[in-house]
Amino acid sequence: MAYVFIWSFAILLFPLLLFCLEVVVGCFRYAIARRATESLRIVPALDQTLKGVVLVPAHNEHSVIGATLESLLSACSQNMRIIVIADNCSDDTAVIARQYHCEVIERTHAQDRGKGFALAFGLEHCRADNPDVVMVVDADCTVNANALSDLMRCADHYQTIVQGAYTLVAPEHAKPATRISAFAVFIKNIIRPLGLAKLGGSVPITGSGFAIAGALIDHIDLASGEIVEDMKLGLDLALLGQKVEFVLPAKITSVLPTDNQTSQVQRARWEHGHIGMITKYMPKLLLFSLKELRWASLITALDLCILPFIVLLTLSTGLSIILGSAMYLIGWSVFVYWIVGLNIMLLVALIVANALRGSDRLQLKDVYALSEYALNKIGLYRALTSGKRSRWHKTQRELPAQPPKKK
């Protein structure tokens, strides 16, 4: 019985401890960056002779592609070209993109559907031009003025893949569940990568706003059909002994869907894909880290095992009550102190992270919806345990189609 408690304690302790460390360190670094403009002094200024390509995978994105291209064109510097990949489109996405004087390539394939195949098609198209850096921005995103230049110079300097600060924001008057989801994305895509990078791990690729050094193009496989092809790319890189670096000043923004069904489909894809990556890559990363004695691979493998924070918070609370009560009854009070201390540390870290979001922070009325949000998560994982894995689905946009503004 003692061994059962010890192993249960360890299973609870390590993911929770690493999560707490990432959030605490990430909050500290984010707070510093807010007080003083985040600098990239260790990275030389952008070499204007470098050739950069921005790939924009798009599937029926006529309602949002115009705003995205306006944002990208305003952020482009010399020797950057934008390539829109109109993938299995049945609308006028390609027509609108051409009106912005962007290069457009069209792909149609009945079986190989999804963003990974579209990106592989785009990489193959631009390979002959031998670009120094290839950047990826989704068709529903906007970027800040220096995002592309920051991504390009960092990818070229580190000769690896770099990930920008990709955030999903809740639209005005969004429901509490959508605002909670935005906070969860802020923790996952901004705070934890800041902490993980400082701890020596490889940050996850979060889907949009990342850049690939040209030397790596021949060593990556995107046409896999995985529903989380971005996460797979980062883990494949970790198995090659390289790290994905985080570039906080490069800000990429998209808007969360407010429709409940659309949100559920999107979250199911993310989280089912995450579980699939844990079962597939965690053993490989652990073996690789032990064989090659690589700390970065070890910490990346442990980070991969951390469940989404709402799920982690729910499991942590339940297991803490059960284990804490049992250990108190058998006299193992030191373990009780550890459990209570970790949960307090987690709560304080999340409160600080929420405060750092400024006007976007969660309000007390939003917190009341946490229980409903957690119950919805249970449904996602029940579907997973019953064998109902998610497949790739296009996220439905809620913006009305607007006539494009010609450049």
Side-chain angles (χ1 to χ4, degrees):
M1 181 63 71
Y3 288 110
V4 173
F5 282 123
I6 291 173
W7 278 107
S8 299
F9 179 74
I11 291 171
L12 169 66
L13 174 66
F14 287 111
L16 187 58
L17 179 59
L18 181 57
F19 180 86
C20 288
L21 284 174
E22 289 179 358
V23 174
V24 169
V25 175
C27 284
F28 181 74
R29 296 188 69 195
Y30 189 78
I32 292 175
R34 288 186 64 191
R35 288 185 172 273
T37 302
E38 181 80 3
S39 67
L40 296 173
R41 288 172 293 181
I42 60 171
V43 180
L46 180 64
D47 182 351
Q48 296 296 334
T49 65
L50 293 177
K51 293 185 295 184
V53 172
V54 184
L55 296 181
V56 185
H59 172 66
N60 290 345
E61 303 286 7
H62 70 284
S63 64
V64 292
I65 190 70
T68 296
L69 293 178
E70 283 189 3
S71 173
L72 292 175
L73 287 167
S74 66
C76 272
S77 60
Q78 294 180 357
N79 295 330
M80 286 187 190
R81 57 193 270 232
I82 299 173
I83 301 176
V84 176
I85 310 161
D87 187 59
N88 285 306
C89 289
S90 57
D91 64 357
D92 55 354
T93 295
V95 174
I96 294 174
R98 289 191 178 98
Q99 290 181 348
Y100 282 83
H101 304 294
C102 294
E103 183 177 349
V104 179
I105 56 175
E106 298 186 60
R107 172 185 174 273
T108 303
H109 199 289
Q111 285 76 42
D112 295 343
R113 304 176 67 85
K115 180 179 170 182
F117 293 108
L119 287 177
F121 183 71
L123 280 177
E124 187 61 32
H125 174 79
C126 68
R127 192 189 303 271
D129 193 41
N130 196 27
D132 295 292
V133 176
V134 176
M135 292 161 279
V136 176
V137 177
D138 282 356
D140 63 335
C141 295
T142 57
V143 300
N144 67 332
N146 297 319
L148 299 181
S149 296
D150 287 339
L151 288 172
M152 188 168 174
R153 65 187 176 124
C154 287
D156 179 68
H157 176 75
Y158 293 116
Q159 282 299 295
T160 186
I161 298 178
V162 298
Q163 172 64 56
Y166 175 40
T167 55
L168 296 171
V169 299
E172 191 176 1
H173 307 305
K175 296 179 180 178
T178 304
R179 292 172 55 81
I180 292 171
S181 184
F183 176 60
V185 172
F186 175 71
I187 294 292
K188 176 180 177 291
N189 287 8
I190 308 296
I191 296 298
R192 282 182 55 197
L194 279 171
L196 180 61
K198 194 65 175 178
L199 294 172
S202 175
V203 304
I205 299 174
T206 53
S208 183
F210 63 93
I212 308 168
L216 290 176
I217 292 177
D218 291 332
H219 302 283
I220 61 176
D221 175 28
L222 289 168
S224 62
E226 291 283 355
I227 57 176
V228 283
E229 72 292 320
D230 45 359
M231 183 181 291
K232 176 186 180 299
L233 176 58
L235 296 173
D236 284 338
L237 193 69
L239 288 174
L240 293 175
Q242 297 202 44
K243 291 166 56 178
V244 178
E245 301 288 348
F246 191 59
V247 185
L248 180 61
K251 302 187 186 304
I252 305 92
T253 307
S254 186
V255 180
L256 281 167
T258 56
D259 176 72
N260 185 61
Q261 183 177 358
T262 302
S263 300
Q264 288 279 27
V265 170
Q266 188 180 65
R267 284 198 292 266
R269 179 173 64 86
W270 289 343
E271 299 191 22
H272 290 185
H274 184 182
I275 296 300
M277 291 295 102
I278 292 175
T279 58
K280 184 175 181 180
Y281 277 91
M282 195 268 287
K284 294 180 181 179
L285 281 170
L286 285 178
L287 289 174
F288 179 78
S289 65
L290 295 175
K291 181 180 178 181
E292 302 292 332
L293 298 179
R294 289 182 179 271
W295 167 256
S297 299
L298 176 61
I299 199 73
T300 301
L302 295 176
D303 172 79
L304 178 62
C305 295
I306 298 176
L307 296 173
F309 97 91
I310 293 294
V311 179
L312 183 69
L313 186 64
T314 303
L315 291 176
S316 171
T317 302
L319 287 175
S320 295
I321 293 172
I322 296 171
L323 289 176
S325 301
M327 290 178 178
Y328 178 78
L329 291 175
I330 62 178
W332 291 2
S333 57
V334 65
F335 290 98
V336 178
Y337 298 146
W338 266 95
I339 292 173
V340 173
L342 273 175
N343 280 277
I344 292 175
M345 181 181 175
L346 174 62
L347 181 60
V348 171
L350 292 176
I351 290 173
V352 171
N354 185 48
L356 288 173
R357 298 181 71 223
S359 60
D360 292 329
R361 63 182 177 273
L362 293 178
Q363 305 297 323
L364 189 59
K365 61 182 180 180
D366 299 321
V367 178
Y368 292 146
L370 273 173
S371 57
E372 178 184 354
Y373 190 85
L375 287 174
N376 288 334
K377 292 279 189 178
I378 293 175
L380 296 182
Y381 285 89
R382 184 186 297 121
L384 179 63
T385 56
S386 66
K388 296 179 180 178
R389 292 290 184 102
S390 293
R391 298 190 300 173
W392 180 83
H393 293 279
K394 177 190 180 299
T395 301
Q396 298 301 315
R397 311 296 178 206
E398 298 166 26
L399 299 175
Q402 297 177 355
K405 176 183 176 183
K406 293 186 180 180
K407 291 286 180 182

